[in-house]
Amino acid sequence: MRVLQESPFWRWTYPYRVRRICREQMPLPFQHLTSTKQLSRSDTDAILVKAKEMEAVVAKGEANHVLQGKILASLFYEPSTRTRLSFESAMQRLGGQIITAEGIQFSSMYKGETLEDTIMMVSQYADIIAMRHPEQGSADRAAAVSTVPFINAGDGPGQHPTQALLDMYTILKERGTLDGIHITMVGDLKFGRTVHSLSYLLGLYKDVRFTLVAPQELRMPEKVTSFYQEHAVPYTEVESIEEGLDADVLYMTRVQQERFEDKAEYERLKLKYVLTAAQIKGRDITVMHPLPRVGEIATDVDALPNAAYFREAGNGVFVRMALLAMLLGKA
Ligand code: NCD
């Protein structure tokens, strides 16, 4: 608790003007969240302000049961630990309940049921749906038929909007601002959905710039670099982590083994970039990672104050509490 109150974020509040806009904007101007491209800066600010309120409620041990009587269907057709558990924890912390389905092999999709049929049915069992699915575009297909609010919890190499929101919240908490942030993204920028979603969101803020570090084969896709260009967001592509260490945030990612057809290529690329404590010791750079890590951050980094990745995972609960409450009109 003391740590929380002493952090610059805890003392920091949005100016009155932003808080007023946030109040006027609630509830969010959409029913489903499938992509960070849907979010304006003021939508994002509103979610972050609400997440901060949720964090305060949890920190004080107060009860907030605004979602009592509501049910979340958590459908995870691809492996997940943090995202699923933090959605479920968020729902339960708000007094709601959960029903779950896990793994395509255990669901009716294995028997050949279409995603659309599954979602139309689940819409009748729950008040809100969070789904992770291995196919890019599956979230939009599901949202198109869902009769209750639908949240994309990761669609293959496509998008992961709630991770991006918790990443934004983490940057704000760790650095005290989103404007002016220089972020270096490292690793699998091609298949990593978190870096795509985060780029679209952070790119809405003022004077943000990106340094991208990836093997040639795993460079940031054109859909994201064209977004930087359209929004006049400066970015540079470099070959080594060292060239990106003068940033505020170092966002490490895992090489996404499950997206590779050629396993030998995965083996060749998986540990191309490994961050060690010696590289960042004494630097004012915040190290983030959506997790799980599989070797790209050495464990000696964990003891440094720079290591924010476990705090980042914890923030997922507050951000998802905010989003669930807002999408259900209970914020
Ligand atoms: C990420 C994901 O699923 O995209 N994990 C997460 O949600 N925390 C990153 C990853 O799996 O590499």
Side-chain angles (χ1 to χ4, degrees), residues 275-320:
L275 181 72
T276 61
Q279 285 169 290
I280 52 163
K281 220 171 192 155
R283 282 183 182 267
D284 179 21
I285 189 166
T286 299
V287 182
M288 294 174 58
H289 191 306
L291 301 176
R293 65 173 157 184
V294 287
E296 59 281 345
I297 301 182
T299 50
D300 66 358
V301 178
D302 300 358
L304 300 180
N306 315 59
Y309 30 92
F310 293 116
R311 297 192 286 276
E312 179 183 354
N315 291 334
V317 174
F318 316 126
V319 169
R320 292 182 172 115

Side-chain angles (χ1 to χ4, degrees), residues 78-80 82-83 132 153-154 156 160 163 192-194 253-254 256 258-259 289-292 320:
E78 205 183 43
S80 172
R82 269 153 296 275
T83 305
R132 171 169 292 187
H160 192 351
Q163 179 70 39
R193 54 195 171 200
T194 67
T253 64
R254 166 181 77 91
Q256 308 277 298
E258 61 276 38
R259 315 277 176 234
H289 191 306
L291 301 176
R320 292 182 172 115

Side-chain angles (χ1 to χ4, degrees), residues 104-139:
I104 285 191
Q105 69 275 32
F106 302 117
S107 79
S108 287
M109 276 190 240
Y110 192 68
K111 301 183 197 167
E113 183 170 60
T114 62
L115 173 63
E116 283 80 0
D117 283 3
T118 300
I119 296 295
M120 282 194 280
M121 186 222 19
V122 174
S123 296
Q124 300 178 69
Y125 298 164
D127 302 290
I128 189 161
I129 300 172
M131 183 187 82
R132 171 169 292 187
H133 192 283
E135 277 167 39
Q136 182 162 353
S138 55

